[in-house]
Amino acid sequence: MSFYTSLSGLKASQVDMASIAHNLANVGTTGFKKSRAEFADVIASNLAVAPTQMVGSGTVVKGNRQQFGEGNLVQSSSSLDIAIAGDGFFTLKPDPNKQGLAFTRNGSLRVDANQFVTDAQGARLQVYPVDGNGNVIATTRESLTDLVLAGTSGKPKGTDNVTLGLNLNARSVVPATGDFSRFDSSSYNEAISTTVYDGAGNPMTMTTYLKRTTPPVVTVPPAVEDLSSTWQAYSFVGDKPMTVGTGAAETPVVTVQFNTAGQLAAPVVSTFNSFMPPSGVAQQQIKLTVPVTTESTTKPFKVASQLQDGVEVGRLQGVTINEKGIVTASYSNGDTKPLGQVAIVNFSNSSGLRQMGNSNWQATGLSGDPTFASSGENGAGSLMSGMIEGSNVDITEELVGLIAAQRNFQANSKALDTSNQITRSILDLRA
């Protein structure tokens, strides 16, 4: 009888050491929760045996109970790294073609090739839908949706109008090089670059070169200085020269002429001939306006105003998650778009969850159905962005437990050896 009693103790110690070894092996696993082996004694009794005469028959493994205490929170540089301070689990969909859900405390997230936010195994993070103002629409299991980062935002618009308000220096000299060449800086006085957009919102560079054609008028004080001047403007979109007029009258030159006071009599408005942008989206036509605010003065050259009416497509630049779990994407055109609220769930009995590996769990009949909540509500913990929850394994505690399990194993092994010696002695007496 003592043989089987000691044998059950050996098996129990093995289970205890296996559980501790598993905990120690995952001390660096993000979101890992340790387990603790629990045992119960075995009593072989019947009504004919007095309570004071019953002898135990060993031990059995009652369970390997998971411990869902919070692990250490470690700061991260990624806004897609999130952690829960308190109770709760993130919700994942391991297979987009199935309805099953998984639950995790591992908030180390990334973006896959299709812009879905996933864990390291490709399971998609689940969020509640929100409206354009970031208000949550529904918080039920049926309303859960994959978190996907839209790569673009806004409707593009090609540039139709460019306005350049300038201050030109009336004392600028006429370039020594007679013929204009954009590749020769000595053939023009100034150059202004403007970002314009094609019909698909793709950026292009429109460069306008200014060349003075009349020399400064020399005046003798105290006469009022003559600020009159004539300039030629040459515009290019990329390598494409912009022209006005048709047929024999087609020219790349737009003339800007100032009177003696250095002012324009009227705005200079030139509608360039249509051209095909480098992207090949569609023919485009741009109108250049030099407003009457443009002046010829003795001050240095300055771009006073520079406007264009094109709109680019916003490119995804960053993602933020606030304390309420609202995920917001920001784009290069200044747009911000709320994408959803991170779903957090609770269970009436977390220890009943089934371990699936990769720091994931699955609901069972023992755990109960998940209760869907959000950050800081319905008993859920608070969501923290830029943080990672580490393992809740305490190495010192586990090593002490390992020593105790080893001693238990040795003691049961000694009891088993003693039982064998007694049995051998009895057999020797019979011989």
Side-chain angles (χ1 to χ4, degrees):
M1 187 67 177
S2 61
F3 175 86
Y4 293 102
T5 300
S6 298
L7 185 60
S8 70
L10 285 174
K11 291 181 178 179
S13 298
Q14 283 183 315
V15 171
D16 196 12
M17 287 190 288
S19 178
I20 294 172
H22 181 65
N23 292 342
L24 289 171
N26 286 281
V27 70
T29 301
T30 303
F32 175 78
K33 299 303 174 186
K34 65 183 179 181
S35 299
R36 183 183 67 205
E38 296 182 344
F39 308 97
D41 60 329
V42 178
I43 300 294
S45 64
N46 57 65
L47 295 177
V49 180
T52 57
Q53 295 178 339
M54 288 189 297
V55 178
S57 300
T59 185
V60 293
V61 179
K62 187 178 180 180
N64 197 32
R65 190 177 183 84
Q66 299 176 80
Q67 308 295 305
F68 282 93
E70 186 178 314
N72 293 326
L73 298 181
V74 182
Q75 192 167 5
S76 166
S77 60
S78 172
S79 61
L80 281 179
D81 285 339
I82 51 180
I84 300 173
D87 297 332
F89 297 82
F90 301 115
T91 307
L92 302 172
K93 180 178 282 189
D95 189 337
N97 299 317
K98 296 182 180 179
Q99 295 300 316
L101 297 176
F103 308 96
T104 186
R105 294 277 297 190
N106 181 1
S108 179
L109 304 172
R110 61 204 65 196
V111 182
D112 68 10
N114 297 314
Q115 299 298 107
F116 288 98
V117 177
T118 70
D119 67 359
Q121 287 69 46
R124 297 177 181 177
L125 180 69
Q126 299 298 288
V127 295
Y128 302 126
V130 297
D131 61 19
N133 295 320
N135 300 312
V136 181
I137 298 173
T139 58
T140 62
R141 183 188 186 110
E142 293 72 23
S143 66
L144 290 175
T145 183
D146 301 334
L147 176 59
V148 57
L149 305 182
T152 60
S153 176
K155 185 177 180 180
K157 178 183 180 299
T159 300
D160 295 323
N161 298 282
V162 174
T163 301
L164 297 177
L166 309 171
N167 180 77
L168 297 173
N169 189 345
R171 295 173 180 172
S172 297
V173 298
V174 176
T177 304
D179 296 329
F180 166 77
S181 171
R182 67 190 181 101
F183 301 110
D184 183 0
S185 60
S186 66
S187 66
Y188 58 87
N189 297 83
E190 309 291 347
I192 308 105
S193 294
T194 306
T195 300
V196 296
Y197 300 94
D198 65 15
N202 298 309
M204 306 177 291
T205 300
M206 174 176 169
T207 306
T208 301
Y209 302 89
L210 296 169
K211 174 185 178 181
R212 183 164 185 166
T213 59
T214 58
V217 177
V218 179
T219 54
V220 179
V224 176
E225 186 172 1
D226 188 341
L227 301 177
S228 61
S229 61
T230 302
W231 299 72
Q232 290 179 341
Y234 301 83
S235 295
F236 292 78
V237 174
D239 294 327
K240 178 71 175 179
M242 299 291 98
T243 61
V244 294
T246 58
E250 184 176 4
T251 177
V253 177
V254 174
T255 301
V256 181
Q257 188 167 6
F258 297 92
N259 60 22
T260 57
Q263 298 175 341
L264 295 176
V268 177
V269 180
S270 299
T271 301
F272 296 123
N273 296 324
S274 60
F275 67 100
M276 180 63 73
S279 62
V281 174
Q283 287 284 334
Q284 188 169 353
Q285 194 170 38
I286 295 177
K287 180 172 68 176
L288 174 65
T289 300
V290 180
V292 292
T293 54
T294 296
E295 296 178 310
S296 176
T297 69
T298 57
K299 296 179 180 180
F301 170 78
K302 178 183 177 181
V303 179
S305 62
Q306 188 174 19
L307 303 173
Q308 59 84 26
D309 60 357
V311 178
E312 68 173 327
V313 175
R315 308 292 178 182
L316 181 65
Q317 284 191 322
V319 179
T320 59
I321 303 176
N322 66 16
E323 66 278 1
K324 291 296 183 182
I326 302 296
V327 184
T328 303
S330 57
Y331 297 87
S332 58
N333 61 354
D335 287 352
T336 57
K337 184 185 295 184
L339 304 176
Q341 183 184 40
V342 177
I344 299 178
V345 302
N346 275 326
F347 293 90
S348 57
N349 178 28
S350 299
S351 297
L353 291 170
R354 185 187 304 278
Q355 297 185 67
M356 305 301 294
N358 298 315
S359 298
N360 288 349
W361 287 268
Q362 197 173 61
T364 66
L366 292 176
S367 68
D369 293 331
T371 300
F372 289 88
S374 54
S375 177
E377 298 179 357
N378 298 330
S382 301
L383 189 145
M384 304 176 69
S385 178
M387 302 290 285
I388 289 279
E389 181 183 2
S391 169
N392 67 346
V393 176
D394 186 319
I395 296 180
T396 303
E397 179 183 348
E398 296 300 320
L399 290 177
V400 171
L402 185 61
I403 294 171
Q406 183 182 15
R407 291 287 182 258
N408 291 339
F409 187 89
Q410 290 173 342
N412 281 282
S413 177
K414 183 64 176 177
L416 185 62
D417 183 54
T418 302
S419 176
N420 285 337
Q421 291 178 7
I422 292 172
T423 302
R424 187 179 301 110
S425 296
I426 293 172
L427 292 175
D428 290 342
L429 287 174
R430 292 180 61 186

